[in-house]
Amino acid sequence: MPDYRGSDESRYYVFPYPYIIYRGDMLKIDGEDIRGFLLKTDRLNLDVSGNGSAPVKSTDNKARRGMSDLDPTFEIGPSLEVLVSQNKEKTYKISLSFPARALFSTNFSEVIYQGWIFNPRLNMEMIKRVPGGDWNWGIELGPVWGDQGYHDYYYRVDPAFAIPGRPAYSPQGGYSGLQMTTYIGKRFKGWKLSMFARTDFLNGAVFSDSPLVKTNTSILAGFAISYLFWTSSTMVEADK
C-alpha cells in the first residue's frame, strides 16, 4: 500500500480479522463491504459505501519528513449503482456506480472532517461456474474528484514546513486522477482466495505539481485467504 496516492514509498500490511457475510433486505455485509440499502429496484441500488486508509508516520516518508503525521482516515457516504446489463444466468454484470463520500481523519481521541470525494466508475463483473467452486473476475474504472479540503489533507505544505526542494503549496479542488481496480477470486468448499490491484493515474490531477507527489502512478495490491466455518440453514442469492 502506498503511503498516499502519489507517494513513491509503500508499506506491507497484514490484517487478520474475522468477518461475517449477511444478505438482508436492508443491510448487506460481504466481508470487506458493509452496505445499507436506501433504495433497491431491478436497475437501481442506492446504498451507503465506505473506504479508509492506514496512518503514515512522516519520519518514515522522505517527502513528508518534518511534517505532521497522517492519521488513519475513513470515508462514508451514499452510492448509487445503475445496472446496465446482466445475463439471465447472472454470470456477468455491467454497471455504473456513483459513490460520494466524506473524508474523516482520527487520532482516536477526536474525529475531524477533511473534505469529500466523488468517484463515478464503470464496473464489469464475470463469474465462471466450474465444478468444485466458482471463479469471479472484475474490473472497475473511473475518474476521481475531490474538494480542496480533501486534497489539502494529503498534498498541502504549510509555510512552516517548507524547506529547499519542498516549497509551500496549497492545492485546489477538482480532478483527482483516474483509478482502475482489478480483482480475481476463487471459491472452493469452505475456502476463498482473492487477489486485487488498484492503480491510480495522477496525470492531470489538480495537485500533481505538489512537492509531495513523487510519482504519477500509484499501485496498491494484495491478496486474501479466508475460511468459512459456519453457514445458516437459510441461504439467499448473492446479489440480493
Side-chain angles (χ1 to χ4, degrees):
M1 179 183 295
D3 286 348
Y4 53 88
R5 299 169 64 233
S7 174
D8 59 353
E9 298 183 58
S10 301
R11 316 289 161 191
Y12 291 95
Y13 297 90
V14 177
F15 296 112
Y17 64 94
Y19 71 86
I20 65 171
I21 297 174
Y22 175 79
R23 300 186 178 107
D25 294 329
M26 300 301 295
L27 180 67
K28 181 177 180 180
I29 304 174
D30 268 335
E32 297 85 1
D33 301 317
I34 300 176
R35 299 190 294 170
F37 292 113
L38 306 176
L39 169 68
K40 183 173 176 63
T41 69
D42 290 341
R43 289 284 176 179
L44 299 176
N45 283 336
L46 179 61
D47 58 35
V48 177
S49 70
N51 201 354
S53 67
V56 176
K57 289 186 176 296
S58 294
T59 53
D60 296 334
N61 184 281
K62 293 180 181 179
R64 294 189 58 85
R65 193 158 294 163
M67 298 180 62
S68 302
D69 294 339
L70 293 176
D71 290 329
T73 68
F74 64 93
E75 302 171 12
I76 189 168
S79 177
L80 177 66
E81 181 181 18
V82 181
L83 179 63
V84 176
S85 178
Q86 185 178 53
N87 62 352
K88 292 182 179 180
E89 295 78 17
K90 297 182 179 180
T91 55
Y92 89 87
K93 181 173 77 170
I94 300 175
S95 62
L96 295 169
S97 296
F98 301 92
R101 298 188 295 266
L103 172 73
F104 298 90
S105 64
T106 179
N107 58 9
F108 302 106
S109 63
E110 61 178 340
V111 175
I112 302 174
Y113 170 73
Q114 299 291 356
W116 59 263
I117 185 173
F118 179 53
N119 179 208
R121 54 184 183 259
L122 173 67
N123 312 309
M124 183 172 69
E125 303 173 53
M126 299 184 66
I127 298 176
K128 178 67 174 179
R129 304 195 184 281
V130 296
D134 298 337
W135 284 94
N136 68 293
W137 172 84
I139 184 170
E140 301 177 350
L141 178 67
V144 183
W145 281 275
D147 71 346
Q148 183 176 6
Y150 188 95
H151 294 156
D152 271 351
Y153 185 69
Y154 293 103
Y155 307 107
R156 180 183 179 88
V157 179
D158 289 327
F161 297 121
I163 59 174
R166 190 177 69 196
Y169 180 82
S170 179
Q172 301 297 312
Y175 179 65
S176 191
L178 183 71
Q179 197 170 87
M180 180 178 69
T181 303
T182 59
Y183 60 89
I184 186 171
K186 167 67 174 175
R187 295 179 183 268
F188 48 99
K189 297 182 179 180
W191 294 88
K192 179 182 178 182
L193 173 65
S194 304
M195 294 176 286
F196 67 92
R198 190 191 77 190
T199 306
D200 284 282
F201 303 96
L202 303 183
N203 302 78
V206 294
F207 54 80
S208 60
D209 56 344
S210 168
L212 300 179
V213 174
K214 298 301 182 181
T215 177
N216 284 325
T217 304
S218 297
I219 299 176
L220 180 156
F223 69 93
I225 301 174
S226 54
Y227 177 68
L228 187 64
F229 58 84
W230 181 83
T231 59
S232 66
S233 58
T234 303
M235 307 293 283
V236 298
E237 291 285 344
D239 62 343
K240 181 177 178 180

